[in-house]
Amino acid sequence: MIEDLFIKIISREIPATILYEDEELIAFEDIAPHAPCHFLVVPKKQIKTINEINENEAYLIGLMIFRAKEIVSKKGYANSGYRLVMNCNEDAGQTVGHIHLHVLAGRKLSWPPG
Ligand code: 5GP
């Protein structure tokens, strides 16, 4: 797994197309989109994988989903549909060591995933 690249986006060390930011979260366009709409919602707190989330941090997941819904709705995909994905560790394809929620929309998404 790559180290925590997203902390460099949060600190503006590397650029990104930022869609939303507040004290706890940031959302930005994925650099290699898998759908016409593909962005990431990321907590600013450094949590490496879903396995590391403790009970006090669990509210962040709700905030991430709420913010994803707000942004994807603003982009116009609320009715056509969208998918929320969080990958955990190697078999799921997690490549960045900082938890993040993928938001995908704008085309028919296959199910089940490959
Ligand atoms: P994972 O595979 O860990 O679930 O998802 C990591 C995502 O981060 C991938 O979809 C990948 O395209 C995206 N990504 C990796 N590096 C960068 C970057 O430097 N900037 C942005 N905006 N996205 C990135």
Side-chain angles (χ1 to χ4, degrees):
M1 194 188 302
I2 305 175
E3 54 172 302
D4 185 355
L5 191 69
F6 293 159
I7 208 70
K8 293 184 176 168
I9 290 179
I10 293 164
S11 66
R12 304 298 198 275
E13 211 178 308
I14 60 173
T17 303
I18 294 169
L19 303 171
Y20 176 84
E21 185 170 19
D22 63 23
E23 278 184 11
E24 300 201 276
L25 302 180
I26 190 166
F28 50 87
E29 301 285 0
D30 196 292
I31 204 168
H34 290 291
C37 168
H38 184 180
F39 63 90
L40 304 170
V41 183
V42 179
K44 290 186 173 176
K45 185 158 192 183
Q46 285 185 277
I47 304 170
K48 199 172 175 188
T49 79
I50 295 171
N51 290 337
E52 273 78 43
I53 298 171
N54 66 42
E55 198 169 347
N56 293 331
E57 295 161 340
Y59 75 97
L60 286 170
I61 304 301
L63 284 181
M64 289 161 74
I65 291 175
F66 175 78
R67 195 50 60 189
K69 181 270 292 182
E70 292 280 290
I71 298 168
V72 83
S73 299
K74 212 168 171 183
K75 283 177 172 277
Y77 298 107
N79 291 330
S80 52
Y82 54 92
R83 182 166 296 161
L84 306 180
V85 176
M86 291 184 80
N87 296 320
C88 182
N89 280 336
E90 195 180 337
D91 279 359
Q94 184 178 0
T95 57
V96 176
H98 188 131
I99 62 166
H100 50 281
L101 179 66
H102 291 262
V103 186
L104 299 134
R107 68 170 173 82
K108 202 91 178 162
L109 299 161
S110 61
W111 188 262

